[in-house]
């Protein structure tokens, strides 16, 4: 369970979503269960100059089912990669 899940009382009991590679970044969807809803969340990783970098993406958006939350989490992660690239890790 991630730090944010523990802080906000959620549980990241997600299906084992397959990591996706996008423009050299690895995206791992990790929606957070909050009651009957799923909060959009993902981990974005990349090796930058030999150092593993990680960005935790947690959005305010919630969805009714986990598969939809996984799809939206991946979509939002791709959007952030397109907008910020390696600037995500600053």
């Amino acid at each position: 369970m991630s730090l944010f899940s523990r802080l906000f009382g959620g549980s990241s009991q997600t299906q084992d979503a397959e990591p996706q590679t996008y423009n050299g970044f690895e995206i791992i969807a990790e929606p957070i269960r909050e009651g009957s809803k799923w909060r959009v969340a993902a981990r974005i990783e990349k090796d930058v100059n030999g150092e593993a970098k990680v960005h935790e993406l947690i959005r305010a958006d919630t969805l009714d089912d986990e598969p939809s939350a996984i799809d939206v989490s991946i979509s939002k992660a791709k959007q952030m990669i397109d907008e910020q690239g390696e600037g995500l890790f600053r």
Side-chain angles (χ1 to χ4, degrees):
M1 184 182 304
S2 74
L3 172 63
F4 293 106
S5 295
R6 288 190 300 268
L7 287 175
F8 297 114
S11 168
S12 60
Q13 302 167 351
T14 62
Q15 303 169 357
D16 289 330
E18 289 293 318
Q20 290 193 10
T21 301
Y22 181 74
N23 290 346
F25 293 78
E26 184 99 348
I27 300 169
I28 302 94
E30 298 179 327
I32 302 166
R33 185 177 188 108
E34 294 182 350
S36 64
K37 301 283 189 179
W38 291 89
R39 182 165 308 281
V40 171
R43 193 170 70 241
I44 303 170
E45 301 178 346
K46 185 172 184 180
D47 185 44
V48 179
N49 299 323
E51 183 180 350
K53 299 286 189 172
V54 178
H55 177 80
E56 296 284 340
L57 165 68
I58 299 177
R59 304 268 310 175
D61 316 58
T62 59
L63 296 141
D64 292 329
D65 63 280
E66 183 181 17
S68 296
I70 289 171
D71 291 343
V72 173
S73 295
I74 291 168
S75 177
K76 292 294 184 182
K78 287 178 178 180
Q79 180 182 358
M80 287 192 72
I81 291 166
D82 290 341
E83 291 173 356
Q84 299 181 36
E86 290 181 6
L88 284 170
F89 306 121
R90 289 187 201 150

